[in-house]
Amino acid sequence: MSAACQQCFFAVAAVLAGLALAGCAKGPRPIRYGQDECAECKMTLVDQHYGSEFITARGKVFKFDDVNCLTAYERRVANPPDPAAQSVVVDFTRPNRFLAVDQAWFLHHDGLRTPMASRLAAFAAEAELEIVRRQLGGGGRVLRWPAVKAIPP
């Protein structure tokens, strides 16, 4: 094989290896609102204030339109939980930004019109949650992830 052919071969091999590794990336993937389907209820994700993902230990991503769809999926499929898997939620105040569920603050409020009626929104900080809570007229409950998971289906 000539030197030019060897260089071409190695260049193609490097590109293919890079593509293979990119396909194995573990972590949240951007939600394509209006296109992606909820893995639990099969509705199309449309509201950019809501959404969540469950990422398996192998990097497979399942998308959800509402927090209650994520918790239903986890109860049904990921029980017992795999410590290498991760769950993330969309930050209500910053669409397309994901938060680890154990780091998020949740507002459970009747004034939140969520896709599947969970009435739950996730926030990066409690102060941001309180601003939205005041805009909704006060009330509701501030929750962390263990309390969210405990809400009956």
Side-chain angles (χ1 to χ4, degrees):
M1 186 183 296
S2 73
C5 285
Q6 282 181 333
Q7 285 180 328
C8 184
F9 172 79
F10 287 119
V12 169
V15 168
L16 291 175
L19 289 173
L21 289 174
C24 296
K26 294 180 183 175
R29 302 238 171 78
I31 294 174
R32 296 170 303 160
Y33 290 96
Q35 297 176 39
D36 287 338
E37 180 181 271
C38 177
E40 186 67 18
C41 72
K42 307 304 181 203
M43 288 181 53
T44 302
L45 282 77
V46 294
D47 191 333
Q48 294 186 12
H49 290 94
Y50 306 102
S52 55
E53 294 183 358
F54 179 85
I55 302 106
T56 68
R58 292 185 163 195
K60 184 167 181 167
V61 176
F62 294 90
K63 298 179 182 191
F64 304 93
D65 63 345
D66 203 335
V67 173
N68 58 353
C69 286
L70 170 63
T71 59
Y73 179 86
E74 285 188 355
R75 281 186 196 102
R76 187 173 50 76
V77 176
N79 201 2
D82 180 346
Q86 63 175 321
S87 295
V88 295
V89 289
V90 170
D91 184 340
F92 184 84
T93 59
R94 293 177 194 86
N96 295 316
R97 179 177 172 213
F98 289 104
L99 307 168
V101 292
D102 59 343
Q103 300 297 311
W105 293 85
F106 294 87
L107 176 61
H108 191 225
H109 196 286
D110 288 340
L112 292 167
R113 301 292 174 230
T114 59
M116 293 300 292
S118 72
R119 299 170 298 147
L120 284 161
F123 298 85
E126 189 175 12
E128 294 169 346
L129 177 152
E130 290 298 340
I131 292 168
V132 172
R133 185 184 207 180
R134 281 193 299 278
Q135 291 170 346
L136 293 170
R141 293 186 302 155
V142 176
L143 305 171
R144 296 307 295 251
W145 184 240
V148 170
K149 289 193 325 184
I151 296 173

